[in-house]
Amino acid sequence: MTDSALNPSTSVLGALALELSADAARGRDALPQREAGALAERIAGDLAGFDGEAAQLDLVVVGAHYDPVELLRPGWPLHHELDHLAARAPGEAGGRIIAFGTHEGRLPGALAPSADYAGGPLRLLPLVLSGEAEVAAAVGARFERELMERGMAGAGTALHAQDAFGLAIEHARYLTLHDLLAMTAMQYEHAGLAPLWPVLETALLSPQGEAWLDAPPEPLVRYAGGMAHIALFSPAAWRERYAGDERDEARLLRAHAHFEARQRQFDAVLRAHGVAVSFDHCPQDVDPHAAVR
């Protein structure tokens, strides 16, 4: 996948995905510089094995792993930070392997994994391939077509990552960001979050675009201008939009509590993905669509 924040003609964005055993200890989330470099060498070998032209591009990797929500944010901030830090690396561009690890226990820049999202079953090492435009475009296109099907990491790479991080890894494979988006969309569908996905997808792929979730009984959400607006209905306005002919007070209370829980769930998911959220008050006498504009 290419991205305007990193130069759309010269960057390919992806990740090494580590699927962990459910009951395994979590080990450490970042490697010292030397160990990060050794892992990056193995990653470079795998990528060159998938596509020989990938070896002509600079590979930029961080020796740390993250939750998917930390990668899937507007502007791809982790990949952007890798690209930013790599711009200072010495040597002639083209075929370099640039790895970032810890020094005195700290990662450079804004690369520290968040403790808020630690412990999940899927951990990701972001990577950037960058270089000459024609080569990057060709490699990126082939990776988009083929990496999901044949992108398993080499056995040596998987074992190296397992030992280095102290993780029990069941599968290790390479993904483009588009692959990761597709995988996340499926996971959110299984978790009952499919109605929210078009809003989140717009925030990720077209941050300056607009998207609506306007499908009762779901909360009303409008994404625009880099922010998700969630209608905060007064009790009377909620009844008018969502209660229909229901008059049983106990059922209404349960339904309203479920609705508020759904709003909180949407709020948490959007914020985890780095999307700003505003709850916009919506009284009974105001069109809710106008309230979230």
Side-chain angles (χ1 to χ4, degrees):
M1 181 176 179
T2 58
D3 181 74
S4 58
L6 297 170
N7 190 334
S9 64
T10 61
S11 298
V12 182
L13 311 187
L16 172 60
L18 307 177
E19 299 176 39
L20 308 184
S21 300
D23 56 351
R26 291 313 186 202
R28 54 181 175 173
D29 59 10
L31 304 177
Q33 180 62 46
R34 183 181 296 275
E35 294 182 50
L39 180 57
E41 293 277 357
R42 290 187 176 272
I43 292 172
D46 286 348
L47 296 178
F50 299 137
D51 190 317
E53 282 195 292
Q56 299 177 30
L57 302 172
D58 288 341
L59 170 66
V60 189
V61 179
V62 57
H65 55 83
Y66 306 82
D67 188 89
V69 298
E70 296 179 84
L71 269 68
L72 296 181
R73 291 177 172 170
W76 319 121
L78 277 176
H79 288 88
H80 187 275
E81 183 70 359
L82 282 178
D83 188 69
H84 174 72
L85 292 171
R88 311 177 205 169
E92 185 176 350
R96 293 179 299 174
I97 301 173
I98 303 168
F100 296 102
T102 62
H103 175 68
E104 297 181 347
R106 296 173 61 88
L107 287 165
L111 292 178
S114 172
D116 293 340
Y117 306 108
L122 179 66
R123 305 296 291 177
L124 302 168
L125 279 71
L127 59 89
V128 178
L129 288 167
S130 61
E132 197 276 322
E134 185 175 346
V135 176
V139 171
R142 287 191 289 268
F143 277 5
E144 292 292 357
R145 290 194 305 269
E146 303 170 10
L147 208 57
M148 179 68 87
E149 295 298 324
R150 62 184 191 93
M152 294 300 295
T157 304
L159 287 172
H160 189 105
Q162 178 166 274
D163 292 342
F165 288 113
L167 302 171
I169 298 173
E170 291 191 349
H171 303 285
R173 63 178 306 112
Y174 296 95
L175 303 169
T176 68
L177 279 191
H178 276 140
D179 294 336
L180 182 58
L181 281 165
M183 181 185 298
T184 304
M186 291 179 60
Q187 292 172 340
Y188 281 9
E189 182 176 3
H190 293 157
L193 289 166
L196 185 63
W197 181 253
V199 173
L200 180 56
E201 186 176 47
T202 299
L204 295 173
L205 296 177
S206 303
Q208 299 308 310
E210 181 179 15
W212 285 85
L213 171 54
D214 184 9
E218 298 291 357
L220 177 65
V221 184
R222 173 180 176 252
Y223 174 84
M227 177 175 288
H229 299 263
I230 301 178
L232 186 62
F233 291 93
S234 69
W238 177 84
R239 289 193 181 203
E240 184 175 290
R241 178 175 169 87
Y242 292 100
D245 296 328
E246 182 61 64
R247 293 296 179 264
D248 184 283
E249 287 298 323
R251 291 181 180 175
L252 285 169
L253 286 172
R254 288 195 297 271
H256 189 253
H258 175 78
F259 178 82
E260 290 184 320
R262 187 68 159 169
Q263 285 185 313
R264 291 192 296 270
Q265 182 185 36
F266 283 6
D267 176 47
V269 171
L270 290 164
R271 290 182 191 274
H273 283 278
V275 180
V277 177
S278 170
F279 280 91
D280 297 342
H281 183 61
C282 180
Q284 185 178 18
D285 57 349
V286 172
D287 178 359
H289 302 89
V292 295
R293 285 190 174 277

